[in-house]
């Protein structure tokens, strides 16, 4: 009986193809919107996590100055190299510590120049920040200790100064300091918070302080926790150590801040996921609108087919069989709409992911839930027309013109 009922429902849908498609439109839009938004949300969360990971593995960034500045706050007292040495010496479970001083300055090669981010640091900076050397080599600990004017170029700086050719062994001028290019960094692209991670020039910290900055200040200390070492634990240990070495601000706050990039990544991913879920829930409202459209069309169908229903009831069809036929028609309409919505949603999600440069990640659970919800909409909004058809009096139905 169920198969014959389904066959009759499909025949009725094919008989009014255009009307059936228009009826399914609300469900198609609703399911498609849910799939697109959830897919984009997952892709955006994955992109945030990947961008944060580009900054370095298990990275903590230690900066001078209180994390919350008041209007009366003065300039923060910079770190010294001894602060970085103390962190490396006294805190266990670290993969690396890299003090860094930074400024912007003009880099000149021949008749070309570029205003780049200049970073003075130690060889550990590459591992801590997750940089790799694509051409040439990194500067050695001996070069760093001696303060030799050697530099590593980011890919952006290399393109601006040398185009596509290999600059290793060439001479550049960093500010007023002549320096030898010993290597080129592999490209890392844009950072999670904006900014080009390839627009930089690395040189030994001692050379930068003595020849470029003219001071022994350290602007930031980058710390990488060892694999398996909780960054929240390392963060608390750094805070305790620096609290002993640096007096608090006049307001009583610590004169430094420690940012845990893993914690920031988790927060951003959570916020992105929550926003995607909210937008998906809003999009699901259109499924309800589609269900109302199905209910309206099915009520019209009951009115149009009153005489047919009367004939079926008069020749022995049971009311539950009539109810089942109309209910199956409603579920079939909504299910087909759900299937088409999933196809359009996946296609739209793929196109939107490419346009927004985020990964295209399909969430199978959401696809299944969206389809089941569309079928449930057909049941919920098809029951009223089906019951009305089943309750028709055969005599009154046969009299209807």
């Amino acid at each position: 009986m169920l198969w014959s009922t389904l066959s009759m429902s499909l025949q009725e849908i094919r008989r009014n193809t255009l009307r059936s498609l228009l009826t399914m439109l609300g469900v198609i839009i609703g399911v498609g919107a849910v799939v697109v938004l959830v897919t984009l949300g997952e892709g955006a969360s994955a992109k945030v996590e990947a961008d944060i990971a580009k900054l370095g593995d298990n990275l903590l960034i230690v900066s001078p100055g209180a994390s919350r500045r008041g209007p009366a706050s003065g300039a923060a007292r910079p770190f010294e190299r001894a602060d970085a040495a103390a962190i490396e010496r006294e805190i266990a479970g670290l993969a690396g510590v890299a003090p860094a001083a930074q400024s912007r300055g003009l880099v000149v090669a021949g008749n070309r120049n570029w205003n780049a981010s200049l970073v003075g640091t130690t060889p550990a900076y590459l591992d801590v920040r997750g940089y790799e050397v694509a051409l040439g080599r990194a500067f050695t600990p001996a070069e760093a200790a001696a303060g030799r004017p050697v530099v590593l170029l980011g890919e952006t700086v290399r393109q601006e100064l040398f185009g596509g050719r290999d600059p290793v062994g060439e001479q550049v001028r960093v500010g007023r300091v002549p320096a030898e290019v010993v290597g080129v960094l592999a490209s890392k692209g844009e950072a999670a918070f904006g900014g080009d991670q390839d627009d930089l020039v690395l040189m030994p910290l001692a050379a930068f302080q003595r020849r470029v900055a003219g001071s022994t200040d350290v602007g930031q200390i980058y710390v990488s926790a060892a694999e398996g070492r909780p960054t929240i634990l390392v963060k608390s240990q750094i805070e305790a150590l620096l609290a002993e070495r640096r007096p608090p601000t006049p307001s009583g706050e610590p004169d430094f801040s420690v940012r845990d990039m893993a914690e920031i990544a988790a927060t951003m991913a959570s916020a992105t996921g929550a926003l995607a879920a909210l937008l998906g829930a809003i999009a699901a409202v259109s499924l309800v609108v589609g269900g109302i459209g199905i209910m309206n069309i099915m009520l019209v169908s009951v009115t149009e087919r009153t005489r047919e229903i009367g004939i079926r009831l008069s020749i022995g069809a049971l009311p539950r069989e009539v109810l089942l036929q109309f209910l199956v028609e409603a579920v079939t309409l909504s299910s087909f709409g759900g299937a088409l919505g999933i196809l359009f949603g996946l296609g739209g999600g793929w196109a939107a992911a490419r346009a927004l440069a985020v990964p295209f990640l399909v969430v199978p659970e959401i696809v299944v839930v969206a389809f089941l919800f569309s079928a449930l909409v057909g049941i919920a909004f098809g029951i009223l027309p089906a019951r009305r058809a089943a309750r028709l009096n055969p005599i009154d139905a046969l009299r209807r013109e």
Side-chain angles (χ1 to χ4, degrees):
M1 185 185 72
L2 183 59
W3 175 251
S4 61
T5 301
L6 179 60
S7 177
M8 292 175 62
S9 300
L10 292 175
Q11 289 176 8
E12 184 62 31
I13 291 171
R14 283 199 301 269
R15 192 170 65 185
N16 298 282
T17 305
L18 181 59
R19 187 171 74 178
S20 299
L21 287 174
L22 292 175
T23 303
M24 292 186 289
L25 192 59
V27 176
I28 293 172
I29 293 173
V31 171
V34 170
V35 172
V36 167
L37 290 172
V38 173
T39 299
L40 285 180
E42 290 294 319
S45 297
K47 186 176 188 302
V48 167
E49 293 176 358
D51 286 345
I52 293 290
K54 286 181 183 178
L55 296 175
D57 293 330
N58 302 323
L59 179 66
L60 296 102
I61 302 177
V62 188
S63 304
S67 56
R68 297 179 181 176
R69 292 178 172 271
S73 298
R77 181 168 64 91
F79 293 121
E80 300 174 354
R81 296 188 69 171
D83 294 317
I87 292 174
E88 189 171 15
R89 181 179 63 251
E90 299 186 27
I91 296 179
L94 300 183
V97 177
Q102 185 169 335
S103 67
R104 291 202 70 85
L106 199 64
V107 185
V108 181
N111 61 351
R112 305 178 73 171
N113 62 80
W114 182 251
N115 191 280
S117 174
L118 311 178
V119 180
T121 186
T122 63
Y125 185 89
L126 298 181
D127 292 331
V128 171
R129 291 296 311 275
Y131 280 98
E132 296 180 357
V133 178
L135 294 173
R137 61 174 177 84
F139 49 79
T140 64
E143 289 171 331
R148 282 198 58 196
V150 293
V151 294
L152 288 162
L153 304 182
E155 182 60 28
T156 298
V157 181
R158 176 245 186 132
Q159 290 293 335
E160 293 293 337
L161 297 182
F162 296 97
R165 65 188 178 92
D166 185 352
V168 175
E170 300 283 349
Q171 291 289 317
V172 297
R173 193 173 75 249
V174 181
R176 298 181 180 180
V177 181
E180 178 189 355
V181 179
V182 296
V184 177
L185 299 173
S187 177
K188 291 185 70 174
E190 187 176 340
F193 307 105
D196 186 357
Q197 296 186 95
D198 301 323
D199 184 18
L200 85 165
V201 175
L202 297 184
M203 67 188 310
L205 179 59
F208 180 88
Q209 291 176 330
R210 185 164 60 245
R211 302 191 180 202
V212 178
S215 71
T216 59
D217 295 344
V218 171
Q220 287 180 317
I221 302 173
Y222 296 94
V223 181
S224 177
E227 188 69 29
R229 180 79 166 171
T231 54
I232 190 169
L233 176 60
V234 175
K235 177 181 177 181
S236 65
Q237 292 175 334
I238 293 173
E239 290 172 339
L241 174 62
L242 292 180
E244 296 176 0
R245 298 180 60 88
R246 295 171 66 87
T249 63
S251 63
E253 295 184 24
D255 189 24
F256 60 88
S257 62
V258 183
R259 286 182 292 165
D260 183 352
M261 302 312 295
E263 186 178 326
I264 293 173
T267 301
M268 292 182 66
S270 175
T272 305
L275 180 60
L278 176 62
L279 293 175
I282 294 172
V285 173
S286 58
L287 276 173
V288 178
V289 176
I292 294 173
I294 289 176
M295 182 176 65
N296 289 337
I297 293 301
M298 293 305 298
L299 287 172
V300 171
S301 181
V302 170
T303 302
E304 290 177 346
R305 296 156 61 189
T306 299
R307 188 173 180 82
E308 173 194 328
I309 296 169
I311 293 173
R312 289 192 63 194
L313 290 172
S314 63
I315 61 176
L318 299 175
R320 66 169 179 270
E321 294 174 345
V322 175
L323 183 144
L324 181 62
Q325 178 186 347
F326 279 87
L327 193 58
V328 168
E329 285 184 26
V331 173
T332 302
L333 281 172
S334 62
S335 298
F336 275 142
L340 290 174
I342 289 171
L343 293 177
F344 281 113
L346 292 176
W350 177 81
R354 292 199 62 182
L356 297 175
V358 300
F360 175 60
L361 299 178
V362 179
V363 185
E365 296 85 355
I366 293 298
V367 173
V368 173
V369 168
F371 179 77
L372 293 178
F373 191 66
S374 67
L376 183 62
V377 164
I379 295 174
F381 289 92
I383 193 69
L384 178 62
R387 290 181 65 185
R388 177 171 294 186
R391 289 178 176 179
L392 285 175
N393 186 297
I395 296 176
D396 293 336
L398 288 170
R399 287 175 180 171
R400 186 76 61 87
E401 293 293 335

